[in-house]
């Protein structure tokens, strides 16, 4: 593992930690590749019974790194300097591969517990959705703010939480808190922040009391059954429509990208998210800001 991803095995539990706290554990394609190698490593280790995925610092993962640029100095979502065909091809391949990432997690014989310690946004939101079990700190915040710069939500959200909830949060990119996630059925449990890892490990140890073949095959019954029932078909459609969303560059996105080119990522995020402030829930809500100001 590199310094950006920590891997530790203790007492039959493999803990995988996103370790870019200075970047809110933002994902890059290299980090994502490394993460899936770590999943395979844990799955191949007969001493490992359960995997816990978490993040260092204030975030589980803030999603894909919006400041990550190519050798050209532009982001992947920026068509500047690319042919239309190259731009579409990139997104078709990237979004089409998404199905393989989630099904890879579901094929593992070891269950994955997402221990959501803070911000779970964008791609981080998706990873905790795809985990077999999710335990959230009371300080966790969930959102898909990327829809505000023309991007896609995920079919997994609607499949897990219902289409009303998926549309409420997926069409706005609004933040919601751990209790809302619990009410939607998106997380299994909300725990005090300081108890998150202890409670996640307690769940992992409880699973490990069950014989390995039973855990492996019963996970397969659920996850393979869901795929056979149509989740894979939904995700394949998501791959095609997600690529279409990402390739739908217009004047709104161009203004955002021009702002980032000239003034940096913070200015970009301020321009993108400013009209949505305050958020309905979480630390950027009016209630949270009033409470902070009163201290």
């Amino acid at each position: 593992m590199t310094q950006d991803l920590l891997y530790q095995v203790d007492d039959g539990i493999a803990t995988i930690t996103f370790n870019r706290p200075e970047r809110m554990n933002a994902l890059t394609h290299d980090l994502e590749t490394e993460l899936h190698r770590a999943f395979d490593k844990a799955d191949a280790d007969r001493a490992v019974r359960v995997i816990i995925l978490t993040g260092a610092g204030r975030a589980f993962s803030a999603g894909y790194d919006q400041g990550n640029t190519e050798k050209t100095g532009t982001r992947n979502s920026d068509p500047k300097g690319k042919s239309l065909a190259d731009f579409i091809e990139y997104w078709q391949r990237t979004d089409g591969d998404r199905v393989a990432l989630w099904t890879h997690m579901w094929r593992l014989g070891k269950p994955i517990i997402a221990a959501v310690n803070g911000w779970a946004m964008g791609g981080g939101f998706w990873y905790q959705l795809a985990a077999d079990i999710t335990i959230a700190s009371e300080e966790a915040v969930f959102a898909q703010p990327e829809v505000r710069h023309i991007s896609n939500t995920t079919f997994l959200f609607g499949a897990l939480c219902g289409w009303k909830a998926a549309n409420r949060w997926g069409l706005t990119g609004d933040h919601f808190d751990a209790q809302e996630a619990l009410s939607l059925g998106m997380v299994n449990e909300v725990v005090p922040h300081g108890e998150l890892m202890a409670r996640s490990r307690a769940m992992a140890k409880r699973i490990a009391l069950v014989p390995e073949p039973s855990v492996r095959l019963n996970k397969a019954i659920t996850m393979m059954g869901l795929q056979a029932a149509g989740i894979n078909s939904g995700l394949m459609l998501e791959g095609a429509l997600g690529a279409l969303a990402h390739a739908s560059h217009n004047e709104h996105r161009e203004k955002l990208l021009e702002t980032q080119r000239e003034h940096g990522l913070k200015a970009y995020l301020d321009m993108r998210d400013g009209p949505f402030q305050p958020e309905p829930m979480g630390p950027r809500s009016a209630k949270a800001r009033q409470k902070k100001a009163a201290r």
Side-chain angles (χ1 to χ4, degrees), residues 110-149:
K110 317 291 172 69
I112 300 172
I113 298 174
V116 181
N117 52 301
W119 298 90
M121 320 290 273
F125 179 91
W126 295 354
Y127 269 101
Q128 62 81 28
L129 270 178
D132 300 298
I133 293 170
T134 300
I135 299 177
S137 157
E138 60 191 358
E139 297 181 9
V141 186
F142 303 88
Q144 298 171 99
E146 67 274 17
V147 302
R148 299 171 180 174
H149 62 233

Side-chain angles (χ1 to χ4, degrees), residues 77-290:
S77 59
D78 190 345
K80 185 177 181 180
K82 305 179 180 75
S83 71
L84 185 59
D86 286 345
F87 189 57
I88 292 173
E89 178 193 11
Y90 172 82
W91 286 117
Q92 181 190 15
R93 292 182 183 277
T94 299
D95 290 314
D97 286 345
R98 192 68 49 200
V99 180
L101 296 178
W102 306 151
T103 55
H104 176 230
M105 295 169 69
W106 302 336
R107 285 197 310 271
L108 301 180
K110 317 291 172 69
I112 300 172
I113 298 174
V116 181
N117 52 301
W119 298 90
M121 320 290 273
F125 179 91
W126 295 354
Y127 269 101
Q128 62 81 28
L129 270 178
D132 300 298
I133 293 170
T134 300
I135 299 177
S137 157
E138 60 191 358
E139 297 181 9
V141 186
F142 303 88
Q144 298 171 99
E146 67 274 17
V147 302
R148 299 171 180 174
H149 62 233
I150 312 179
S151 185
N152 62 300
T153 181
T154 176
F155 174 70
L156 288 182
F157 196 11
L160 181 60
C161 302
W163 57 274
K164 295 283 188 179
N167 283 336
R168 163 63 185 92
W169 301 108
L171 297 182
T172 62
D174 282 345
H175 298 184
F176 58 97
D177 61 21
Q179 289 299 329
E180 178 70 9
L182 182 66
S183 73
L184 297 178
M186 196 180 79
V187 307
N188 297 83
E189 189 177 357
V190 177
V191 303
H193 184 70
E195 298 178 17
L196 176 64
M197 292 309 295
R199 297 281 282 272
S200 298
R201 289 183 63 82
M203 175 65 75
K205 289 180 180 179
R206 192 165 183 83
I207 292 171
L209 291 173
V210 178
E212 185 277 335
S214 186
V215 172
R216 172 168 40 84
L217 292 169
N218 281 304
K219 170 177 172 172
I221 285 171
T222 300
M223 304 319 298
M224 291 180 68
L226 285 170
Q227 291 174 74
I231 286 232
N232 269 13
S233 297
L235 288 174
M236 289 177 68
L237 184 61
E238 175 191 324
L241 293 176
L244 187 61
H246 280 127
S248 295
H249 188 72
N250 66 4
E251 63 278 1
H252 173 75
R253 189 197 278 163
E254 182 57 33
K255 288 179 181 177
L256 287 171
L257 293 173
E258 185 178 350
T259 297
Q260 182 172 359
R261 292 180 206 124
E262 294 182 2
H263 304 291
L265 180 59
K266 185 179 185 303
Y268 168 90
L269 294 175
D270 287 344
M271 184 178 181
R272 185 191 72 178
D273 297 329
F276 295 89
Q277 303 296 326
E279 295 286 351
M281 299 181 191
R284 294 178 184 167
S285 66
K287 183 178 179 180
R289 286 176 172 175
Q290 289 170 0

